Amino acid sequence: MASHIVGYPRMGPKRELKFALESFWDGKSTAEDLQKVSADLRSSIWKQMSEAGTKYIPSNTFAHYDQVLDTTAMLGAVPPRYGYTSGEIGLDVYFSMARGNASVPAMEMTKWFDTNYHYIVPELGPDVNFSYASHKAVNEYKEAKALGVDTVPVLVGPVSYLLLSKAAKGVEKSFDLLSLLPKILPVYKEVITELKAAGATWIQLDEPVLVMDLEGHKLQAFTGAYAELESTLSGLNVLVETYFADIPAEAYKTLTSLKGVTAFGFDLVRGTKTLDLVKAGFPEGKYLFAGVVDGRNIWANDFAESLSTLQALEGVVGKDKLVVSTSCSLLHTAVDLVNETKLDDEIKSWLAFAAQKIVEVNALAKALAGQKDEALFSANAAALASRRSSPRVTNEGVQKAAAALKGSDHRRATNVSARLDAQQKKLNLPILPTTTIGSFPQTVELRRVRREYKAKKVSEEDYVKAMKEEIKKVVDLQEELDIDVLVHGEPERNDMVEYFGEQLSGFAFTANGWVQSYGSRCVKPPVIYGDVSRPKAMTVFWSAMAQSMTSRPMKGMLTGPVTILNWSFVRNDQPRHETCYQIALAIKDEVEDLEKGGISVIQIDEAALREGLPLRKSEHAFYLDWAVHSFRITNCGVQDTTQIHTHMCYSHFNDIIHSIIDMDADVITIENSRSDEKLLSVFREGVKYGAGIGPGVYDIHSPRIPSSEEIADRVNKMLAVLEQNILWVNPDCGLKTRKYTEVKPALKNMVDAAKLIRSQLASAK
């Protein structure tokens, strides 16, 4: 019985690659230093899989930045602005595409399906000259072979590559990306021919777009592409791998009849309906790579359940044609539980990171072959039983409160226009009120104090004093700039999810549970293992302190339930929406305590609402329904005079604008400046929006300081489609990552622009 891993994290157990990359980018180390760290990581990963008994070990899933960018390099599809002409693409051109350089911007980055990983989007058009320009796949295969490990080279499949691309600037939006297939397939043929010559016997082509809703002509592109590759692929075993969702019946039919393909890989964790398709008919003599070990979460596998699934599949495809695999690449999970010092033994026994998942896959493969490790299986059963019965997981009170939510849609009693009138009487704001999104710059000194307080090197009294001084500084600065609605600057917060998770029950935190987000950036998602509740107030102390320093309204700042959910590793023993409702009730308690504490403007950020949207359209309505409902639960109990804001990061949300309106917030601020035309077009097309809205007037991700004229021009564009009495003026996002030397002049120009337009509007009357 054979085992397979779809892909593996590249960062290293202690983020070795991150530090090597950043050192190289800062000019502190050489390309050779970077290549050595990379080679050491690859070799240790291959050895680890080999020693565990893995039969099909992937190569070419390592990347210095991103696997799609690696494919762009392989195809020589470098946008002209990077000055590449021909030859093997080196690190300089590669990193310029990923990060930009002094003279040209980076390529666009977007989310990889519905994960929190981001890939570099290829920019294509009819004039791209494709050529075989990076031999990385072949080099890595040879590198592993020299270490005595025979691997399965992995390539992003040709059809998925094109469908994940975009038309380059200046190319008609309607350009058919699939028309480029005849131009890229010759390069794929060269790569495959070289891999065969180097001794490869298997090759894996990742075609994850097959799980999306694809029109007929897109499915036909698969049939055509693989027919074209068939003669080149002959003599090789070819695995086409899919992941992240059920594969639709039509796509399953197309996939399983592709020419030249020997094996099919499916995600059987998120794709439970795919099981039915396989059981109803699987092509004879082909291999099934069964993804039963979850590549996207950190819970230990249920061996008994997986084994029974695998045994049922064995009856369909035959014993020698079934391969045990992961549901997707392990890139989306943390690296190794061995490095966890913060978690207690009980919680640790419930978890499996990437290194442990390799062991799980091989244990299942051995059990299927009749060599079951009884000790391992009984330890697995015991850990699952302890998780099911642990008093830390279940909280009766929370379960009851969440169950009681069923009967109501939790809308505020009064409609938004009446609420805005009541709020205006209380707040007395000018037209085009100014505000910021929440955080202010976090200085080295500030981070030091927080770190030392956490390590108990600074007393609570000294810590509070330091934070109070920082808040006072931020409040004074905003008053001096004449901003209308103030924030306290969040000096006490590390991360917008972790800060709340650390104060809620049902959450655990890892020391090294890092997951790659993009390039060298990693995130450390909290682990939601049990019922969520709020033992005591989390932010009231700081917000009330800040409000006492000013007569202007001070915003309370909270992270919304959907964002906390989408940026965490979520328990898999109950539906996600049930966990979300529990978080919503905890945030509701906090909102009501802030109101009691004299805070009359409360912002509940839902930066990640759009991120959780399922891949398939048929599942959108259900997700949006419970996500929006969760947001309304948090603030349905406040008075009409309390103004509820929310903030969202822009991500193609014209398609969910009606759900955003349904959130029924009083004011929504939106990250917009990098794509304002797209966002404003939705209002031009006649969507009626009656609540307050603040599309960001400048991009905080850039150190550039916009002039007041530029900001005024932006605001005027907004006034062309939005009523003046609902428009707010604010930056795109929080200011945490910026320097005060950038923030002060930018905010001054923003306030000046608002005042200029106010006076123009007054004189026009």
Side-chain angles (χ1 to χ4, degrees):
M1 181 44 60
S3 52
H4 166 248
I5 306 292
V6 177
Y8 200 79
R10 335 152 160 154
M11 277 298 133
K14 300 245 169 102
R15 291 184 292 163
E16 292 85 346
L17 181 61
K18 171 193 174 68
F19 300 118
L21 282 166
E22 289 170 2
S23 165
F24 174 68
W25 293 336
D26 290 344
K28 292 176 185 158
S29 58
T30 64
E32 288 69 36
D33 298 329
L34 174 60
Q35 298 294 13
K36 170 144 186 20
V37 170
S38 306
D40 289 348
L41 282 170
R42 287 192 294 267
S43 129
S44 74
I45 292 165
W46 290 326
K47 284 194 176 128
Q48 189 183 349
M49 291 191 203
S50 174
E51 283 162 13
T54 315
K55 180 168 181 185
Y56 300 108
I57 296 172
S59 59
N60 200 40
T61 61
F62 178 89
H64 279 125
Y65 207 93
D66 163 54
Q67 71 272 16
V68 181
L69 183 62
D70 285 359
T71 313
T72 296
M74 178 184 93
L75 295 168
V78 182
R81 64 181 177 276
Y82 301 107
Y84 165 80
T85 46
S86 63
E88 187 78 3
I89 288 172
L91 289 179
D92 51 347
V93 172
Y94 181 85
F95 287 132
S96 292
M97 291 192 283
R99 308 175 66 235
N101 57 37
S103 52
V104 289
M107 292 168 74
E108 187 196 340
M109 185 166 71
T110 197
K111 275 165 59 73
W112 178 244
F113 295 84
D114 59 348
T115 70
N116 289 327
Y117 175 80
H118 300 73
Y119 73 96
I120 302 288
V121 184
E123 301 171 13
L124 304 177
D127 304 331
V128 178
N129 288 317
F130 295 98
S131 65
Y132 185 11
S134 164
H135 291 63
K136 176 178 174 290
V138 178
N139 295 341
E140 282 191 22
Y141 174 78
K142 289 177 174 169
E143 185 184 321
K145 203 167 180 184
L147 295 167
V149 183
D150 189 28
T151 59
V152 179
V154 180
L155 302 174
V156 175
V159 185
S160 290
Y161 176 78
L162 292 176
L163 292 177
L164 292 165
S165 303
K166 67 171 189 179
K169 230 188 178 121
V171 174
E172 283 296 314
K173 280 276 172 279
S174 59
F175 174 70
D176 179 15
L177 292 158
L178 289 173
S179 67
L180 298 172
L181 265 174
K183 293 188 175 178
I184 69 169
L185 290 175
V187 181
Y188 274 88
K189 288 179 182 176
E190 282 186 73
V191 180
I192 293 162
T193 305
E194 268 195 27
L195 285 167
K196 277 205 299 203
T201 54
W202 276 83
I203 181 172
Q204 173 179 324
L205 291 152
D206 282 7
E207 293 282 13
V209 300
L210 279 164
V211 305
M212 306 290 282
D213 298 307
L214 297 180
E215 303 94 331
H217 75 277
K218 291 181 179 169
L219 290 175
Q220 282 159 9
F222 282 95
T223 308
Y226 284 81
E228 177 61 35
L229 290 173
E230 186 182 12
S231 58
T232 313
L233 291 169
S234 78
L236 270 177
N237 281 302
V238 180
L239 162 64
V240 174
E241 184 65 60
T242 67
Y243 35 76
F244 299 149
D246 279 308
I247 182 161
E250 266 316 290
Y252 178 80
K253 221 158 57 193
T254 301
L255 171 61
T256 49
S257 25
L258 290 181
K259 296 269 201 298
V261 178
T262 343
F264 310 99
F266 299 110
D267 179 336
L268 300 180
V269 176
R270 287 183 175 232
T272 41
K273 294 183 194 135
T274 303
L275 267 177
D276 301 332
L277 292 174
V278 172
K279 288 173 183 170
F282 189 77
E284 205 173 332
K286 304 280 182 170
Y287 289 86
L288 171 66
F289 281 59
V292 292
V293 171
D294 192 349
R296 292 211 22 198
N297 217 327
I298 40 86
W299 303 105
N301 188 270
D302 182 335
F303 280 175
E305 192 188 335
S306 294
L307 199 55
S308 78
T309 299
L310 291 163
Q311 283 161 341
L313 288 170
E314 215 174 37
V316 179
V317 305
K319 211 177 179 65
D320 57 336
K321 293 289 188 251
L322 183 64
V323 178
V324 183
S325 184
T326 54
S327 66
C328 61
S329 171
L330 299 177
L331 178 70
H332 310 288
T333 187
V335 181
D336 195 344
L337 205 47
V338 166
N339 300 310
E340 284 314 319
T341 45
K342 280 171 79 168
L343 294 171
D344 61 75
D345 289 345
E346 184 182 32
I347 288 182
K348 234 170 153 170
S349 75
W350 303 340
L351 305 179
F353 290 2
Q356 288 67 45
K357 289 175 190 288
I358 292 175
V359 174
E360 290 183 335
V361 166
N362 284 291
L364 287 165
K366 286 182 184 125
L368 258 189
Q371 302 155 1
K372 187 171 174 186
D373 182 333
E374 293 296 349
L376 198 62
F377 268 68
S378 57
N380 174 265
L384 292 170
S386 107
R387 186 177 160 206
R388 274 193 288 268
S389 62
S390 171
R392 297 167 71 176
V393 171
T394 313
N395 176 329
E396 289 291 322
V398 172
Q399 293 274 351
K400 277 200 182 104
L405 294 170
K406 302 264 190 299
S408 161
D409 64 359
H410 300 91
R411 288 181 191 279
R412 290 169 75 179
T414 320
N415 73 29
V416 70
S417 59
R419 296 197 310 258
L420 288 171
D421 288 344
Q423 291 155 15
Q424 181 53 18
K425 282 196 185 87
K426 181 176 181 179
L427 299 172
N428 194 23
L429 297 169
I431 196 161
L432 306 180
T434 53
T435 190
T436 63
I437 302 305
S439 59
F440 264 66
Q442 298 223 339
T443 58
V444 175
E445 174 60 16
L446 185 60
R447 290 171 196 264
R448 183 189 63 77
V449 173
R450 237 184 12 232
R451 200 168 50 242
E452 291 187 352
Y453 174 60
K454 221 171 178 177
K456 301 195 165 44
K457 290 180 184 165
V458 171
S459 72
E460 177 153 19
E461 194 182 339
D462 287 346
Y463 170 71
V464 171
K465 187 168 163 257
M467 293 301 122
K468 188 173 179 177
E469 282 167 11
E470 183 66 26
I471 292 170
K472 179 83 176 102
K473 189 176 90 183
V474 168
V475 170
D476 289 349
L477 172 63
Q478 292 171 93
E479 292 200 315
E480 180 194 318
L481 290 165
D482 205 14
I483 290 173
D484 300 306
V485 175
L486 311 191
V487 297
H488 77 289
E490 304 176 21
E492 78 288 5
R493 304 188 189 181
N494 43 8
D495 168 272
M496 62 185 283
V497 172
E498 195 167 312
Y499 179 76
F500 290 96
E502 284 175 336
Q503 301 185 73
L504 293 168
S505 57
F507 280 77
F509 291 85
T510 64
N512 285 293
W514 297 98
V515 181
Q516 186 180 12
S517 171
Y518 62 86
S520 70
R521 182 171 157 68
C522 301
V523 292
K524 192 154 60 71
V527 177
I528 304 178
Y529 66 83
D531 289 338
V532 177
S533 62
R534 185 199 71 145
K536 60 179 199 298
M538 304 181 281
T539 66
V540 180
F541 173 77
W542 302 110
S543 291
M545 173 197 286
Q547 182 65 80
S548 72
M549 297 173 181
T550 179
S551 58
R552 299 181 186 218
M554 174 61 62
K555 269 199 285 199
M557 303 297 308
L558 306 173
T559 301
V562 187
T563 297
I564 291 176
L565 184 89
N566 284 337
W567 286 351
S568 299
F569 283 125
V570 182
R571 58 190 290 191
N572 60 353
D573 58 349
Q574 69 179 16
R576 280 175 79 87
H577 65 268
E578 287 183 18
T579 303
C580 199
Y581 286 152
Q582 293 180 357
I583 304 169
L585 287 170
I587 300 295
K588 178 178 193 278
D589 290 345
E590 187 70 14
V591 168
E592 288 165 13
D593 280 351
L594 280 168
E595 186 182 57
K596 283 187 202 117
I599 303 297
S600 48
V601 181
I602 301 168
Q603 180 172 310
I604 307 163
D605 284 345
E606 281 297 11
L609 185 109
R610 174 71 175 67
E611 280 187 18
L613 205 61
L615 295 175
R616 302 280 278 289
K617 290 195 179 76
S618 59
E619 295 163 27
H620 285 190
F622 177 64
Y623 167 77
L624 289 167
D625 183 59
W626 63 254
V628 168
H629 188 182
S630 298
F631 177 82
R632 287 201 308 262
I633 289 167
T634 64
N635 60 81
C636 62
V638 299
Q639 299 166 21
D640 286 355
T641 49
T642 297
Q643 190 166 75
I644 298 294
H645 289 225
T646 188
H647 174 69
M648 293 185 135
C649 293
Y650 177 85
S651 51
H652 310 296
F653 74 48
N654 293 6
D655 53 350
I656 61 161
I657 189 73
H658 294 289
S659 297
I660 290 168
I661 293 170
D662 202 34
M663 289 167 76
D664 198 29
D666 297 310
V667 178
I668 176 168
T669 52
I670 300 176
E671 180 189 356
N672 156 67
S673 67
R674 286 197 278 185
S675 40
D676 40 22
E677 285 311 306
K678 271 188 201 164
L679 172 73
L680 294 177
S681 68
V682 84
F683 299 109
R684 265 187 225 113
E685 285 152 20
V687 169
K688 285 282 166 272
Y689 190 76
I693 183 165
V697 295
Y698 78 91
D699 179 11
I700 64 93
H701 298 92
S702 156
R704 212 180 135 261
I705 296 158
S707 67
S708 54
E709 292 77 18
E710 184 186 324
I711 294 176
D713 182 49
R714 274 227 156 96
V715 175
N716 278 321
K717 268 192 193 148
M718 294 167 188
L719 285 169
V721 289
L722 293 163
E723 298 291 326
Q724 61 187 49
N725 62 335
I726 63 168
L727 189 63
W728 283 64
V729 178
N730 46 266
D732 242 5
C733 252
L735 305 169
K736 181 164 130 179
T737 58
R738 298 264 61 91
K739 299 180 171 72
Y740 272 106
T741 50
E742 299 155 356
V743 165
K744 282 181 191 170
L747 290 179
K748 180 183 184 303
N749 293 348
M750 181 185 88
V751 174
D752 288 349
K755 287 179 174 174
L756 174 72
I757 295 178
R758 277 175 207 157
S759 65
Q760 287 170 353
L761 290 170
S763 58
K765 272 184 182 165

